[in-house]
């Protein structure tokens, strides 16, 4: 088990938040320490901001500032293996089921209720699966640039990046998706800044360094590398089964569900329409497209996303 030294997080640009920690646990593993940002009025409506890969709560810094000004309490955890949270060194410690357990433990430990859930990238499969398990704690959902990997044949023709089965023995997968998975498996080293700069750059050197701060050397990157390996590529993958179960739960979700996807992210394009058609709570919502942003919409249009979230909460309370 590794913990990134505190000095790696000193004086990060636009990230003035004090660290908070809570112990979380899942079957078969020892308790681990999960870091989170807690910003805004303590009694304000709770907005749970769940990041994906290869980022951490730093991604939401611009969103958090807007939400605080709107009187909302932002809770932004770092997934285990990321940010200031503990980092098991065994890649086998990281499974999708455990990421879901850790976040669910976190929600219970803080006794969060009436939650507005905001998810991006892997934040969707993780956060939406927590909602599916414990729906009474959640009041509404905003999904941005996220997916639910199911390999469902019904997804054929609906996604820019193909990811679906076509019969009992074959799947269709976007070549770029496979290249991405292969890169994380075979590259001698990977750095979050590489992907942030490619998808949201050019970014200032100090911002790129902030994204890399949790990972002083390769020994800290087991979770960073393993999460990409958990992308389900077939229907037989345990993650695909979780995705299907979460989808089934969302098909019964009647509370507000809003999509706010960017217009420059082919990896998730099409999923906004899937959610709009499958989730009852998405009907009649003011779905929006955020212009001029790629996959990491919080980095490029964080203030705008923050305003969309604040208006969503205000309108649906």
């Amino acid at each position: 088990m590794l913990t990134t030294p505190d000095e790696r997080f000193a004086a990060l640009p636009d990230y003035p938040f004090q660290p908070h920690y809570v112990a979380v646990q899942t079957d078969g593993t020892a308790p681990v320490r999960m870091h989170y940002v807690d910003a805004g009025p303590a009694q304000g409506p709770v907005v749970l901001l769940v990041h994906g890969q290869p980022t951490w709560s730093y991604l939401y810094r611009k969103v958090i500032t807007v939400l605080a000004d709107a009187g909302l309490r932002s809770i932004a955890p770092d997934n285990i293996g990321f940010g200031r949270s503990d980092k098991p060194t065994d890649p086998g410690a990281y499974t999708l089921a455990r990421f879901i357990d850790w976040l669910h433990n976190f929600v219970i430990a803080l006794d969060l209720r009436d939650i507005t859930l905001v998810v991006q990238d892997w934040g969707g499969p993780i956060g939406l699966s927590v909602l599916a398990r414990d729906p009474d704690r959640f009041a509404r959902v905003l999904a941005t640039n996220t997916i639910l990997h199911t390999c469902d044949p019904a997804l054929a023709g609906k996604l820019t990046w193909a990811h679906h089965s076509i019969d009992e023995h074959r799947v269709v997968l976007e070549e770029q998706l496979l290249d991405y998975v292969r890169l994380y498996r075979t590259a001698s080293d990977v750095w979050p800044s590489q992907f942030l700069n490619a998808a949201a750059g050019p970014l200032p050197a100090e911002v790129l360094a902030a994204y890399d701060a949790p990972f002083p050397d390769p020994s800290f990157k087991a979770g960073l590398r393993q999460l990409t390996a958990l992308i389900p590529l077939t229907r037989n993958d345990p993650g695909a089964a979780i995705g299907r179960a979460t989808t089934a739960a969302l098909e019964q979700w009647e509370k507000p569900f809003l999509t706010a996807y960017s217009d420059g992210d082919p990896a998730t394009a099409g999923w906004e329409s899937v959610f709009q058609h499958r989730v009852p709570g998405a009907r009649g919502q003011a779905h929006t497209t955020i212009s001029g942003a790629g996959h990491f919409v919080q980095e490029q249009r964080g203030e705008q996303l923050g305003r969309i979230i604040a208006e969503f909460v205000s309108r649906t309370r």
Side-chain angles (χ1 to χ4, degrees):
M1 182 74 66
L2 295 173
T3 300
T4 304
D6 287 342
E7 56 266 27
R8 296 278 299 183
F9 303 100
L12 299 183
D14 302 319
Y15 190 81
F17 313 112
Q18 294 299 308
H20 300 268
Y21 298 93
V22 66
V24 297
Q25 191 169 5
T26 181
D27 290 345
T29 66
V32 287
R33 195 175 69 154
M34 195 168 193
H35 167 262
Y36 63 101
V37 171
D38 189 341
Q43 302 305 316
V46 172
V47 181
L48 180 62
L49 304 163
V50 187
H51 74 86
Q53 197 273 354
T55 61
W56 58 292
S57 55
Y58 184 78
L59 178 70
Y60 280 106
R61 67 196 185 282
K62 300 175 186 178
V63 176
I64 291 169
T65 299
V66 174
L67 297 182
D69 290 344
L72 302 176
R73 179 188 178 196
S74 296
I75 304 291
D78 294 338
N79 287 313
I80 299 302
F82 294 81
R84 300 184 78 146
S85 292
D86 284 349
K87 298 173 178 65
T89 56
D90 176 12
Y94 299 94
T95 68
L96 178 55
R98 284 177 175 165
F99 278 111
I100 295 165
D101 284 346
W102 284 321
L103 184 63
H104 190 206
N105 256 224
F106 173 84
V107 168
I108 292 172
L110 271 61
D111 195 24
L112 301 179
R113 298 181 183 275
D114 197 30
I115 300 166
T116 299
L117 176 65
V118 177
V119 295
Q120 182 260 351
D121 192 84
W122 271 102
I126 296 169
L128 294 172
S129 296
V130 173
L131 178 149
R133 182 184 295 179
D134 201 351
D136 291 345
R137 289 184 179 270
F138 295 84
R140 61 190 64 78
V141 179
L142 184 142
T144 178
N145 295 10
T146 192
I147 40 74
L148 271 177
H149 297 301
T150 62
C151 294
D152 185 348
L155 295 172
K158 296 180 179 178
L159 310 178
T160 298
W161 276 24
H163 192 163
H164 61 86
S165 60
I166 54 175
D167 57 33
E168 292 183 359
H169 306 289
R170 293 182 294 173
V171 294
V172 177
L173 296 169
E174 190 74 17
E175 188 173 36
Q176 285 182 266
L177 174 62
L178 294 177
D179 286 341
Y180 182 66
V181 174
R182 178 188 54 80
L183 175 65
Y184 267 85
R185 284 183 176 272
T186 61
S188 59
D189 201 0
V190 290
W191 292 95
S193 58
Q194 296 171 302
F195 301 96
L196 269 294
N197 211 37
L203 298 175
E206 60 271 21
V207 170
L208 295 174
Y211 281 111
D212 290 338
F215 310 106
D217 64 56
S219 66
F220 288 78
K221 296 179 182 179
L224 175 71
R225 300 190 74 139
Q226 185 67 8
L227 187 52
T228 298
L230 296 179
I231 295 174
L233 301 179
T234 74
R235 285 174 296 178
N236 301 316
D237 190 288
I242 291 172
R244 289 191 291 270
T246 298
T247 297
L250 288 177
E251 288 174 340
Q252 306 302 314
W253 177 261
E254 297 186 351
K255 297 176 187 178
F257 189 109
L258 182 70
T259 62
Y261 279 54
S262 71
D263 62 356
D265 182 25
T268 64
W271 274 103
E272 72 279 23
S273 296
V274 172
F275 286 127
Q276 289 167 20
H277 285 93
R278 290 193 176 185
V279 182
R283 295 166 191 157
Q285 296 297 331
H287 302 293
T288 187
T289 299
I290 299 175
S291 300
H295 183 64
F296 301 105
V297 62
Q298 303 96 316
E299 182 61 50
Q300 293 178 289
R301 297 290 184 271
E303 294 89 350
Q304 181 181 355
L305 180 61
R307 292 191 295 271
I308 292 169
I309 296 167
E311 192 278 333
F312 177 46
V313 174
S314 176
R315 176 170 51 81
T316 58
R317 286 187 71 186

